[in-house]
Amino acid sequence: MSLTRLGYASINVKDLVPAVSFYTDVVGLRLIEHDKRGRRTYLQTADNQDHHGLVLNEAGRAGLDHAGYKVNDPADLECVSKELRERGIEPKSVRAQDVSGQGEGIRFTAPSGHDILLYYHADKIGYATGMRNPDPLARVPALSVSHLDHVVLACEQPEEASRFFRELLGFYITEQVNMPDGQPVAIFLTCSNTMHDMAIVPGPNGGFHHMAFGVDSRLDVVARTDLLKQRSLPTMELGVTRHGVAGVTTVYCHDPSGNRLEFAHGAYLTAGAGDRVPPVVWRPDLHERAVFFYEGVIPGDFFSTVT
Amino acid sequence: MALRPHGIIRIAYVRLGLLATDIVQARSFYRDVMGLIEDPRSNAERLLLRCWHEAYPYSLVIERSVERGLLELGFEMADFGSLAAAARRLKATGASESEPGAPLPGLGASVLCEVPGGLKIRLFAAVTDMPSYLGGHMGPDWVVPRELRATVAPLSLNHVGVTVPDPARTVDFLRSELGFAISERIESDDGRRLLSALMFRMSKDVGGQEIAIFRGDEARLHHIAFTKEDPNDILVDGQYLGEAKVRIDALGPTRQSYGRTFSLYFYDPLGIRLELCSGGRITEVHPEFEPVVWTESALSKALSFHDRQVSNTFLDACL
């Protein structure tokens, strides 16, 4: 059948303690499980009923360990494994509970150097508000995020990576931004009705550009920026901004290990995009406006900084 | 491609029948106040309307009819294989008829299915004459087009609310035959009777519903909901609607806990209930997805977290 959505990001951090503190206190995630032996912590956003949406691995460095995407049919795992083998990529079987709270899956390294894990089952923990007569918001924290929206992967050949994920897993391009020399700045891919579940940008293979959390309104992006400033956490110099792409209102910051994250609101829905609706490909001379709509300038380190 | 979606991929349109005298009024309201866009094939007999962010020819169809009523909901399927499979399955239930064409422009082969309770759903696999995005495909900015400013100008059709005599029966059919899932439901306190359900077929960041089912005497329209980006936009739209003397529901702008949207309900000149909504639960077309459950005694909290008061007529059908 098909992928349903980005399930979680499993990222590396230098030290677990400050990372956990950042993701619970500043981002507002729920702390689900701490695996002392594995030096690993599982967290979840407010409006997701699965066991985890973010896994932190203490690894002495930053970066993406793997991205987890969910399938809606257990047979999909064998189906993808077969096609991977035909492409000369050997998938690894992942046993149930190897990733805590999660059923069996397959893990493979894409040619772009990123590890992807596909799985069908996640243990259910419910929404932060509960599942019965729930309030629309949880009691704590006051400022949370609703969901993990997308991951952005960096690699040397973005076009090839985009083709790989489209052909293997049924992603479609919703929008693409190219430089005047024709090289892609960013390719946005969806596997559902979201504007993007993954994006690909140029950079070193296996690079992790950022992950994005969805918040409930544009004002939540402003409130989030206030919070980041109050905690003396550096935001990207543009502060609150808007991407021409997707039309989202957004702010970026870094976690204590240097992983970049985004808080965004306002991505539109893309019913049948790619298959029915041709992708938006921004005119090369508009590429700066496509990335930073208000400023029309892309800060020098926006694409060069990856983990 | 190892993985591909099957079955329904999107809610395509809601089709209403109105009297000839209604059409002129409807046209001016949906075009000038709501800021919907008319397809070139729209005429005095049939209005074909869409939202500015939709790249499909129409999502609201209003046509001349001998009596007022909800005619059908349209859903687009992933491919002709999905359509043929649905046709076979539905034929076995006796609930459908396949049609070589469709009574709407550009749809081609379709299957019209009468869901138990009387709701009509049309399935099709492709629509021709696709318009491009209003802002084009080479740098659209995604800002409300200048000519639509100071209208409501929603992004897209979000969901359609309907009443049916026996929600449990309708919901069972939508689940088993058309692959819909429940994101939230309201049941009697003893859990024995299903009163309402929000049903979806699209994996979304926000949403949770393409069809909202309520209990009523027969299959009728309860409301039509359109997507807005942000709660703040809905507050501003409420100003425009008030200025245009549009009747706004007594709840005013509110948080609807049922579905977790920020919503505003109001009525078109013919009394059709409309909703603007922003937000909504994450949905995932996955067999293990679990619904939120509401009990009847929490109904007022479910329908309005802020007001906790729901008028007697709020749950009635409107067309």
mmCIF file with all atom_site columns, all heavy atoms in Angstrom, chain A residues 162-185:
data_model
loop_
_atom_site.group_PDB
_atom_site.id
_atom_site.type_symbol
_atom_site.label_atom_id
_atom_site.label_alt_id
_atom_site.label_comp_id
_atom_site.label_asym_id
_atom_site.label_entity_id
_atom_site.label_seq_id
_atom_site.pdbx_PDB_ins_code
_atom_site.Cartn_x
_atom_site.Cartn_y
_atom_site.Cartn_z
_atom_site.occupancy
_atom_site.B_iso_or_equiv
_atom_site.pdbx_formal_charge
_atom_site.auth_seq_id
_atom_site.auth_comp_id
_atom_site.auth_asym_id
_atom_site.auth_atom_id
_atom_site.pdbx_PDB_model_num
ATOM 1   N N   . SER A 1 162 ? 16.063 12.602 -4.735  1.00 0.00 ? 162 SER A N   1
ATOM 2   C CA  . SER A 1 162 ? 14.628 12.802 -4.919  1.00 0.00 ? 162 SER A CA  1
ATOM 3   C C   . SER A 1 162 ? 14.053 11.673 -5.767  1.00 0.00 ? 162 SER A C   1
ATOM 4   O O   . SER A 1 162 ? 13.003 11.109 -5.445  1.00 0.00 ? 162 SER A O   1
ATOM 5   C CB  . SER A 1 162 ? 14.398 14.169 -5.579  1.00 0.00 ? 162 SER A CB  1
ATOM 6   O OG  . SER A 1 162 ? 13.227 14.171 -6.342  1.00 0.00 ? 162 SER A OG  1
ATOM 7   N N   . ARG A 1 163 ? 14.741 11.328 -6.845  1.00 0.00 ? 163 ARG A N   1
ATOM 8   C CA  . ARG A 1 163 ? 14.253 10.249 -7.721  1.00 0.00 ? 163 ARG A CA  1
ATOM 9   C C   . ARG A 1 163 ? 14.209 8.930  -6.954  1.00 0.00 ? 163 ARG A C   1
ATOM 10  O O   . ARG A 1 163 ? 13.251 8.166  -7.052  1.00 0.00 ? 163 ARG A O   1
ATOM 11  C CB  . ARG A 1 163 ? 15.158 10.119 -8.951  1.00 0.00 ? 163 ARG A CB  1
ATOM 12  C CG  . ARG A 1 163 ? 14.543 9.238  -10.037 1.00 0.00 ? 163 ARG A CG  1
ATOM 13  C CD  . ARG A 1 163 ? 15.382 9.208  -11.312 1.00 0.00 ? 163 ARG A CD  1
ATOM 14  N NE  . ARG A 1 163 ? 15.757 10.532 -11.759 1.00 0.00 ? 163 ARG A NE  1
ATOM 15  C CZ  . ARG A 1 163 ? 17.013 10.978 -11.853 1.00 0.00 ? 163 ARG A CZ  1
ATOM 16  N NH1 . ARG A 1 163 ? 18.018 10.204 -11.539 1.00 0.00 ? 163 ARG A NH1 1
ATOM 17  N NH2 . ARG A 1 163 ? 17.259 12.207 -12.274 1.00 0.00 ? 163 ARG A NH2 1
ATOM 18  N N   . PHE A 1 164 ? 15.244 8.671  -6.162  1.00 0.00 ? 164 PHE A N   1
ATOM 19  C CA  . PHE A 1 164 ? 15.298 7.422  -5.390  1.00 0.00 ? 164 PHE A CA  1
ATOM 20  C C   . PHE A 1 164 ? 14.078 7.305  -4.461  1.00 0.00 ? 164 PHE A C   1
ATOM 21  O O   . PHE A 1 164 ? 13.383 6.294  -4.454  1.00 0.00 ? 164 PHE A O   1
ATOM 22  C CB  . PHE A 1 164 ? 16.591 7.385  -4.569  1.00 0.00 ? 164 PHE A CB  1
ATOM 23  C CG  . PHE A 1 164 ? 16.689 6.199  -3.641  1.00 0.00 ? 164 PHE A CG  1
ATOM 24  C CD1 . PHE A 1 164 ? 17.081 4.949  -4.114  1.00 0.00 ? 164 PHE A CD1 1
ATOM 25  C CD2 . PHE A 1 164 ? 16.374 6.333  -2.294  1.00 0.00 ? 164 PHE A CD2 1
ATOM 26  C CE1 . PHE A 1 164 ? 17.156 3.856  -3.263  1.00 0.00 ? 164 PHE A CE1 1
ATOM 27  C CE2 . PHE A 1 164 ? 16.447 5.243  -1.433  1.00 0.00 ? 164 PHE A CE2 1
ATOM 28  C CZ  . PHE A 1 164 ? 16.840 4.003  -1.920  1.00 0.00 ? 164 PHE A CZ  1
ATOM 29  N N   . PHE A 1 165 ? 13.807 8.358  -3.709  1.00 0.00 ? 165 PHE A N   1
ATOM 30  C CA  . PHE A 1 165 ? 12.697 8.279  -2.750  1.00 0.00 ? 165 PHE A CA  1
ATOM 31  C C   . PHE A 1 165 ? 11.345 8.241  -3.467  1.00 0.00 ? 165 PHE A C   1
ATOM 32  O O   . PHE A 1 165 ? 10.410 7.601  -3.004  1.00 0.00 ? 165 PHE A O   1
ATOM 33  C CB  . PHE A 1 165 ? 12.760 9.444  -1.760  1.00 0.00 ? 165 PHE A CB  1
ATOM 34  C CG  . PHE A 1 165 ? 13.881 9.303  -0.771  1.00 0.00 ? 165 PHE A CG  1
ATOM 35  C CD1 . PHE A 1 165 ? 14.923 10.219 -0.727  1.00 0.00 ? 165 PHE A CD1 1
ATOM 36  C CD2 . PHE A 1 165 ? 13.903 8.230  0.114   1.00 0.00 ? 165 PHE A CD2 1
ATOM 37  C CE1 . PHE A 1 165 ? 15.965 10.070 0.188   1.00 0.00 ? 165 PHE A CE1 1
ATOM 38  C CE2 . PHE A 1 165 ? 14.939 8.073  1.027   1.00 0.00 ? 165 PHE A CE2 1
ATOM 39  C CZ  . PHE A 1 165 ? 15.964 8.998  1.062   1.00 0.00 ? 165 PHE A CZ  1
ATOM 40  N N   . ARG A 1 166 ? 11.255 8.920  -4.600  1.00 0.00 ? 166 ARG A N   1
ATOM 41  C CA  . ARG A 1 166 ? 9.990  8.888  -5.344  1.00 0.00 ? 166 ARG A CA  1
ATOM 42  C C   . ARG A 1 166 ? 9.741  7.502  -5.921  1.00 0.00 ? 166 ARG A C   1
ATOM 43  O O   . ARG A 1 166 ? 8.652  6.954  -5.808  1.00 0.00 ? 166 ARG A O   1
ATOM 44  C CB  . ARG A 1 166 ? 10.000 9.941  -6.456  1.00 0.00 ? 166 ARG A CB  1
ATOM 45  C CG  . ARG A 1 166 ? 9.765  11.353 -5.931  1.00 0.00 ? 166 ARG A CG  1
ATOM 46  C CD  . ARG A 1 166 ? 9.720  12.371 -7.055  1.00 0.00 ? 166 ARG A CD  1
ATOM 47  N NE  . ARG A 1 166 ? 11.046 12.648 -7.581  1.00 0.00 ? 166 ARG A NE  1
ATOM 48  C CZ  . ARG A 1 166 ? 11.342 12.728 -8.873  1.00 0.00 ? 166 ARG A CZ  1
ATOM 49  N NH1 . ARG A 1 166 ? 10.421 12.530 -9.789  1.00 0.00 ? 166 ARG A NH1 1
ATOM 50  N NH2 . ARG A 1 166 ? 12.568 12.999 -9.262  1.00 0.00 ? 166 ARG A NH2 1
ATOM 51  N N   . GLU A 1 167 ? 10.788 6.931  -6.537  1.00 0.00 ? 167 GLU A N   1
ATOM 52  C CA  . GLU A 1 167 ? 10.597 5.643  -7.217  1.00 0.00 ? 167 GLU A CA  1
ATOM 53  C C   . GLU A 1 167 ? 10.434 4.492  -6.232  1.00 0.00 ? 167 GLU A C   1
ATOM 54  O O   . GLU A 1 167 ? 9.685  3.562  -6.470  1.00 0.00 ? 167 GLU A O   1
ATOM 55  C CB  . GLU A 1 167 ? 11.763 5.372  -8.167  1.00 0.00 ? 167 GLU A CB  1
ATOM 56  C CG  . GLU A 1 167 ? 11.734 6.307  -9.365  1.00 0.00 ? 167 GLU A CG  1
ATOM 57  C CD  . GLU A 1 167 ? 12.888 6.104  -10.319 1.00 0.00 ? 167 GLU A CD  1
ATOM 58  O OE1 . GLU A 1 167 ? 13.780 5.250  -10.058 1.00 0.00 ? 167 GLU A OE1 1
ATOM 59  O OE2 . GLU A 1 167 ? 12.927 6.831  -11.325 1.00 0.00 ? 167 GLU A OE2 1
ATOM 60  N N   . LEU A 1 168 ? 11.146 4.570  -5.130  1.00 0.00 ? 168 LEU A N   1
ATOM 61  C CA  . LEU A 1 168 ? 11.073 3.454  -4.175  1.00 0.00 ? 168 LEU A CA  1
ATOM 62  C C   . LEU A 1 168 ? 9.839  3.546  -3.278  1.00 0.00 ? 168 LEU A C   1
ATOM 63  O O   . LEU A 1 168 ? 9.161  2.544  -3.041  1.00 0.00 ? 168 LEU A O   1
ATOM 64  C CB  . LEU A 1 168 ? 12.343 3.439  -3.305  1.00 0.00 ? 168 LEU A CB  1
ATOM 65  C CG  . LEU A 1 168 ? 12.388 2.311  -2.267  1.00 0.00 ? 168 LEU A CG  1
ATOM 66  C CD1 . LEU A 1 168 ? 12.664 0.980  -2.960  1.00 0.00 ? 168 LEU A CD1 1
ATOM 67  C CD2 . LEU A 1 168 ? 13.438 2.590  -1.205  1.00 0.00 ? 168 LEU A CD2 1
ATOM 68  N N   . LEU A 1 169 ? 9.552  4.728  -2.770  1.00 0.00 ? 169 LEU A N   1
ATOM 69  C CA  . LEU A 1 169 ? 8.570  4.832  -1.679  1.00 0.00 ? 169 LEU A CA  1
ATOM 70  C C   . LEU A 1 169 ? 7.309  5.604  -2.044  1.00 0.00 ? 169 LEU A C   1
ATOM 71  O O   . LEU A 1 169 ? 6.426  5.776  -1.215  1.00 0.00 ? 169 LEU A O   1
ATOM 72  C CB  . LEU A 1 169 ? 9.230  5.481  -0.448  1.00 0.00 ? 169 LEU A CB  1
ATOM 73  C CG  . LEU A 1 169 ? 10.411 4.688  0.137   1.00 0.00 ? 169 LEU A CG  1
ATOM 74  C CD1 . LEU A 1 169 ? 11.079 5.480  1.258   1.00 0.00 ? 169 LEU A CD1 1
ATOM 75  C CD2 . LEU A 1 169 ? 9.961  3.328  0.650   1.00 0.00 ? 169 LEU A CD2 1
ATOM 76  N N   . GLY A 1 170 ? 7.213  6.069  -3.278  1.00 0.00 ? 170 GLY A N   1
ATOM 77  C CA  . GLY A 1 170 ? 5.977  6.747  -3.692  1.00 0.00 ? 170 GLY A CA  1
ATOM 78  C C   . GLY A 1 170 ? 5.862  8.179  -3.206  1.00 0.00 ? 170 GLY A C   1
ATOM 79  O O   . GLY A 1 170 ? 4.760  8.682  -3.037  1.00 0.00 ? 170 GLY A O   1
ATOM 80  N N   . PHE A 1 171 ? 6.999  8.860  -3.005  1.00 0.00 ? 171 PHE A N   1
ATOM 81  C CA  . PHE A 1 171 ? 6.942  10.300 -2.719  1.00 0.00 ? 171 PHE A CA  1
ATOM 82  C C   . PHE A 1 171 ? 6.650  11.063 -4.008  1.00 0.00 ? 171 PHE A C   1
ATOM 83  O O   . PHE A 1 171 ? 6.925  10.573 -5.112  1.00 0.00 ? 171 PHE A O   1
ATOM 84  C CB  . PHE A 1 171 ? 8.298  10.789 -2.183  1.00 0.00 ? 171 PHE A CB  1
ATOM 85  C CG  . PHE A 1 171 ? 8.526  10.504 -0.728  1.00 0.00 ? 171 PHE A CG  1
ATOM 86  C CD1 . PHE A 1 171 ? 9.175  9.343  -0.327  1.00 0.00 ? 171 PHE A CD1 1
ATOM 87  C CD2 . PHE A 1 171 ? 8.129  11.407 0.239   1.00 0.00 ? 171 PHE A CD2 1
ATOM 88  C CE1 . PHE A 1 171 ? 9.407  9.083  1.015   1.00 0.00 ? 171 PHE A CE1 1
ATOM 89  C CE2 . PHE A 1 171 ? 8.357  11.151 1.583   1.00 0.00 ? 171 PHE A CE2 1
ATOM 90  C CZ  . PHE A 1 171 ? 8.991  10.001 1.972   1.00 0.00 ? 171 PHE A CZ  1
ATOM 91  N N   . TYR A 1 172 ? 6.085  12.259 -3.864  1.00 0.00 ? 172 TYR A N   1
ATOM 92  C CA  . TYR A 1 172 ? 5.875  13.149 -5.003  1.00 0.00 ? 172 TYR A CA  1
ATOM 93  C C   . TYR A 1 172 ? 6.481  14.514 -4.687  1.00 0.00 ? 172 TYR A C   1
ATOM 94  O O   . TYR A 1 172 ? 6.491  14.949 -3.543  1.00 0.00 ? 172 TYR A O   1
ATOM 95  C CB  . TYR A 1 172 ? 4.384  13.342 -5.269  1.00 0.00 ? 172 TYR A CB  1
ATOM 96  C CG  . TYR A 1 172 ? 3.726  12.119 -5.846  1.00 0.00 ? 172 TYR A CG  1
ATOM 97  C CD1 . TYR A 1 172 ? 2.893  11.318 -5.078  1.00 0.00 ? 172 TYR A CD1 1
ATOM 98  C CD2 . TYR A 1 172 ? 3.941  11.777 -7.182  1.00 0.00 ? 172 TYR A CD2 1
ATOM 99  C CE1 . TYR A 1 172 ? 2.290  10.192 -5.618  1.00 0.00 ? 172 TYR A CE1 1
ATOM 100 C CE2 . TYR A 1 172 ? 3.340  10.661 -7.718  1.00 0.00 ? 172 TYR A CE2 1
ATOM 101 C CZ  . TYR A 1 172 ? 2.523  9.872  -6.943  1.00 0.00 ? 172 TYR A CZ  1
ATOM 102 O OH  . TYR A 1 172 ? 1.926  8.772  -7.474  1.00 0.00 ? 172 TYR A OH  1
ATOM 103 N N   . ILE A 1 173 ? 6.933  15.193 -5.747  1.00 0.00 ? 173 ILE A N   1
ATOM 104 C CA  . ILE A 1 173 ? 7.451  16.558 -5.569  1.00 0.00 ? 173 ILE A CA  1
ATOM 105 C C   . ILE A 1 173 ? 6.269  17.517 -5.501  1.00 0.00 ? 173 ILE A C   1
ATOM 106 O O   . ILE A 1 173 ? 5.394  17.485 -6.371  1.00 0.00 ? 173 ILE A O   1
ATOM 107 C CB  . ILE A 1 173 ? 8.366  16.966 -6.736  1.00 0.00 ? 173 ILE A CB  1
ATOM 108 C CG1 . ILE A 1 173 ? 9.578  16.033 -6.826  1.00 0.00 ? 173 ILE A CG1 1
ATOM 109 C CG2 . ILE A 1 173 ? 8.812  18.420 -6.576  1.00 0.00 ? 173 ILE A CG2 1
ATOM 110 C CD1 . ILE A 1 173 ? 10.517 16.364 -7.981  1.00 0.00 ? 173 ILE A CD1 1
ATOM 111 N N   . THR A 1 174 ? 6.246  18.366 -4.469  1.00 0.00 ? 174 THR A N   1
ATOM 112 C CA  . THR A 1 174 ? 5.227  19.413 -4.411  1.00 0.00 ? 174 THR A CA  1
ATOM 113 C C   . THR A 1 174 ? 5.800  20.748 -4.879  1.00 0.00 ? 174 THR A C   1
ATOM 114 O O   . THR A 1 174 ? 5.149  21.490 -5.592  1.00 0.00 ? 174 THR A O   1
ATOM 115 C CB  . THR A 1 174 ? 4.677  19.589 -2.990  1.00 0.00 ? 174 THR A CB  1
ATOM 116 O OG1 . THR A 1 174 ? 5.779  19.762 -2.094  1.00 0.00 ? 174 THR A OG1 1
ATOM 117 C CG2 . THR A 1 174 ? 3.857  18.377 -2.563  1.00 0.00 ? 174 THR A CG2 1
ATOM 118 N N   . GLU A 1 175 ? 7.022  21.047 -4.427  1.00 0.00 ? 175 GLU A N   1
ATOM 119 C CA  . GLU A 1 175 ? 7.661  22.292 -4.873  1.00 0.00 ? 175 GLU A CA  1
ATOM 120 C C   . GLU A 1 175 ? 9.157  22.056 -5.006  1.00 0.00 ? 175 GLU A C   1
ATOM 121 O O   . GLU A 1 175 ? 9.725  21.180 -4.331  1.00 0.00 ? 175 GLU A O   1
ATOM 122 C CB  . GLU A 1 175 ? 7.413  23.437 -3.868  1.00 0.00 ? 175 GLU A CB  1
ATOM 123 C CG  . GLU A 1 175 ? 5.944  23.817 -3.733  1.00 0.00 ? 175 GLU A CG  1
ATOM 124 C CD  . GLU A 1 175 ? 5.734  25.190 -3.093  1.00 0.00 ? 175 GLU A CD  1
ATOM 125 O OE1 . GLU A 1 175 ? 6.508  26.121 -3.394  1.00 0.00 ? 175 GLU A OE1 1
ATOM 126 O OE2 . GLU A 1 175 ? 4.796  25.325 -2.294  1.00 0.00 ? 175 GLU A OE2 1
ATOM 127 N N   . GLN A 1 176 ? 9.781  22.855 -5.866  1.00 0.00 ? 176 GLN A N   1
ATOM 128 C CA  . GLN A 1 176 ? 11.225 22.770 -6.034  1.00 0.00 ? 176 GLN A CA  1
ATOM 129 C C   . GLN A 1 176 ? 11.761 24.169 -6.285  1.00 0.00 ? 176 GLN A C   1
ATOM 130 O O   . GLN A 1 176 ? 11.135 24.978 -6.982  1.00 0.00 ? 176 GLN A O   1
ATOM 131 C CB  . GLN A 1 176 ? 11.563 21.846 -7.213  1.00 0.00 ? 176 GLN A CB  1
ATOM 132 C CG  . GLN A 1 176 ? 13.057 21.745 -7.470  1.00 0.00 ? 176 GLN A CG  1
ATOM 133 C CD  . GLN A 1 176 ? 13.444 20.516 -8.294  1.00 0.00 ? 176 GLN A CD  1
ATOM 134 O OE1 . GLN A 1 176 ? 12.645 19.607 -8.485  1.00 0.00 ? 176 GLN A OE1 1
ATOM 135 N NE2 . GLN A 1 176 ? 14.678 20.507 -8.760  1.00 0.00 ? 176 GLN A NE2 1
ATOM 136 N N   . VAL A 1 177 ? 12.928 24.451 -5.697  1.00 0.00 ? 177 VAL A N   1
ATOM 137 C CA  . VAL A 1 177 ? 13.575 25.746 -5.897  1.00 0.00 ? 177 VAL A CA  1
ATOM 138 C C   . VAL A 1 177 ? 14.946 25.482 -6.514  1.00 0.00 ? 177 VAL A C   1
ATOM 139 O O   . VAL A 1 177 ? 15.704 24.648 -6.007  1.00 0.00 ? 177 VAL A O   1
ATOM 140 C CB  . VAL A 1 177 ? 13.745 26.497 -4.554  1.00 0.00 ? 177 VAL A CB  1
ATOM 141 C CG1 . VAL A 1 177 ? 14.345 27.882 -4.797  1.00 0.00 ? 177 VAL A CG1 1
ATOM 142 C CG2 . VAL A 1 177 ? 12.410 26.619 -3.831  1.00 0.00 ? 177 VAL A CG2 1
ATOM 143 N N   . ASN A 1 178 ? 15.231 26.161 -7.611  1.00 0.00 ? 178 ASN A N   1
ATOM 144 C CA  . ASN A 1 178 ? 16.516 25.987 -8.282  1.00 0.00 ? 178 ASN A CA  1
ATOM 145 C C   . ASN A 1 178 ? 17.311 27.286 -8.273  1.00 0.00 ? 178 ASN A C   1
ATOM 146 O O   . ASN A 1 178 ? 16.737 28.377 -8.268  1.00 0.00 ? 178 ASN A O   1
ATOM 147 C CB  . ASN A 1 178 ? 16.314 25.555 -9.736  1.00 0.00 ? 178 ASN A CB  1
ATOM 148 C CG  . ASN A 1 178 ? 15.671 24.180 -9.838  1.00 0.00 ? 178 ASN A CG  1
ATOM 149 O OD1 . ASN A 1 178 ? 15.890 23.328 -8.988  1.00 0.00 ? 178 ASN A OD1 1
ATOM 150 N ND2 . ASN A 1 178 ? 14.873 23.979 -10.865 1.00 0.00 ? 178 ASN A ND2 1
ATOM 151 N N   . MET A 1 179 ? 18.636 27.147 -8.321  1.00 0.00 ? 179 MET A N   1
ATOM 152 C CA  . MET A 1 179 ? 19.528 28.299 -8.450  1.00 0.00 ? 179 MET A CA  1
ATOM 153 C C   . MET A 1 179 ? 19.522 28.744 -9.917  1.00 0.00 ? 179 MET A C   1
ATOM 154 O O   . MET A 1 179 ? 19.148 27.982 -10.806 1.00 0.00 ? 179 MET A O   1
ATOM 155 C CB  . MET A 1 179 ? 20.965 27.900 -8.080  1.00 0.00 ? 179 MET A CB  1
ATOM 156 C CG  . MET A 1 179 ? 21.157 27.503 -6.644  1.00 0.00 ? 179 MET A CG  1
ATOM 157 S SD  . MET A 1 179 ? 21.084 28.913 -5.565  1.00 0.00 ? 179 MET A SD  1
ATOM 158 C CE  . MET A 1 179 ? 22.766 29.527 -5.765  1.00 0.00 ? 179 MET A CE  1
ATOM 159 N N   . PRO A 1 180 ? 19.997 29.965 -10.166 1.00 0.00 ? 180 PRO A N   1
ATOM 160 C CA  . PRO A 1 180 ? 20.092 30.419 -11.567 1.00 0.00 ? 180 PRO A CA  1
ATOM 161 C C   . PRO A 1 180 ? 20.923 29.473 -12.440 1.00 0.00 ? 180 PRO A C   1
ATOM 162 O O   . PRO A 1 180 ? 20.688 29.380 -13.642 1.00 0.00 ? 180 PRO A O   1
ATOM 163 C CB  . PRO A 1 180 ? 20.745 31.794 -11.444 1.00 0.00 ? 180 PRO A CB  1
ATOM 164 C CG  . PRO A 1 180 ? 20.318 32.272 -10.083 1.00 0.00 ? 180 PRO A CG  1
ATOM 165 C CD  . PRO A 1 180 ? 20.294 31.045 -9.214  1.00 0.00 ? 180 PRO A CD  1
ATOM 166 N N   . ASP A 1 181 ? 21.877 28.749 -11.859 1.00 0.00 ? 181 ASP A N   1
ATOM 167 C CA  . ASP A 1 181 ? 22.662 27.812 -12.678 1.00 0.00 ? 181 ASP A CA  1
ATOM 168 C C   . ASP A 1 181 ? 21.935 26.472 -12.862 1.00 0.00 ? 181 ASP A C   1
ATOM 169 O O   . ASP A 1 181 ? 22.497 25.533 -13.426 1.00 0.00 ? 181 ASP A O   1
ATOM 170 C CB  . ASP A 1 181 ? 24.053 27.587 -12.066 1.00 0.00 ? 181 ASP A CB  1
ATOM 171 C CG  . ASP A 1 181 ? 23.989 26.861 -10.716 1.00 0.00 ? 181 ASP A CG  1
ATOM 172 O OD1 . ASP A 1 181 ? 22.870 26.494 -10.277 1.00 0.00 ? 181 ASP A OD1 1
ATOM 173 O OD2 . ASP A 1 181 ? 25.056 26.662 -10.105 1.00 0.00 ? 181 ASP A OD2 1
ATOM 174 N N   . GLY A 1 182 ? 20.697 26.371 -12.389 1.00 0.00 ? 182 GLY A N   1
ATOM 175 C CA  . GLY A 1 182 ? 19.917 25.154 -12.607 1.00 0.00 ? 182 GLY A CA  1
ATOM 176 C C   . GLY A 1 182 ? 20.055 24.130 -11.499 1.00 0.00 ? 182 GLY A C   1
ATOM 177 O O   . GLY A 1 182 ? 19.297 23.168 -11.448 1.00 0.00 ? 182 GLY A O   1
ATOM 178 N N   . GLN A 1 183 ? 21.014 24.333 -10.607 1.00 0.00 ? 183 GLN A N   1
ATOM 179 C CA  . GLN A 1 183 ? 21.188 23.374 -9.511  1.00 0.00 ? 183 GLN A CA  1
ATOM 180 C C   . GLN A 1 183 ? 20.059 23.555 -8.482  1.00 0.00 ? 183 GLN A C   1
ATOM 181 O O   . GLN A 1 183 ? 19.698 24.688 -8.161  1.00 0.00 ? 183 GLN A O   1
ATOM 182 C CB  . GLN A 1 183 ? 22.538 23.604 -8.805  1.00 0.00 ? 183 GLN A CB  1
ATOM 183 C CG  . GLN A 1 183 ? 23.744 23.242 -9.665  1.00 0.00 ? 183 GLN A CG  1
ATOM 184 C CD  . GLN A 1 183 ? 23.708 21.807 -10.150 1.00 0.00 ? 183 GLN A CD  1
ATOM 185 O OE1 . GLN A 1 183 ? 23.561 20.879 -9.353  1.00 0.00 ? 183 GLN A OE1 1
ATOM 186 N NE2 . GLN A 1 183 ? 23.802 21.604 -11.469 1.00 0.00 ? 183 GLN A NE2 1
ATOM 187 N N   . PRO A 1 184 ? 19.515 22.456 -7.962  1.00 0.00 ? 184 PRO A N   1
ATOM 188 C CA  . PRO A 1 184 ? 18.433 22.619 -6.985  1.00 0.00 ? 184 PRO A CA  1
ATOM 189 C C   . PRO A 1 184 ? 18.914 23.225 -5.664  1.00 0.00 ? 184 PRO A C   1
ATOM 190 O O   . PRO A 1 184 ? 20.001 22.899 -5.178  1.00 0.00 ? 184 PRO A O   1
ATOM 191 C CB  . PRO A 1 184 ? 17.921 21.197 -6.771  1.00 0.00 ? 184 PRO A CB  1
ATOM 192 C CG  . PRO A 1 184 ? 18.956 20.291 -7.306  1.00 0.00 ? 184 PRO A CG  1
ATOM 193 C CD  . PRO A 1 184 ? 19.783 21.054 -8.290  1.00 0.00 ? 184 PRO A CD  1
ATOM 194 N N   . VAL A 1 185 ? 18.082 24.117 -5.127  1.00 0.00 ? 185 VAL A N   1
ATOM 195 C CA  . VAL A 1 185 ? 18.312 24.668 -3.785  1.00 0.00 ? 185 VAL A CA  1
ATOM 196 C C   . VAL A 1 185 ? 17.595 23.788 -2.774  1.00 0.00 ? 185 VAL A C   1
ATOM 197 O O   . VAL A 1 185 ? 18.083 23.529 -1.682  1.00 0.00 ? 185 VAL A O   1
ATOM 198 C CB  . VAL A 1 185 ? 17.752 26.107 -3.680  1.00 0.00 ? 185 VAL A CB  1
ATOM 199 C CG1 . VAL A 1 185 ? 17.891 26.645 -2.268  1.00 0.00 ? 185 VAL A CG1 1
ATOM 200 C CG2 . VAL A 1 185 ? 18.424 27.016 -4.684  1.00 0.00 ? 185 VAL A CG2 1
#
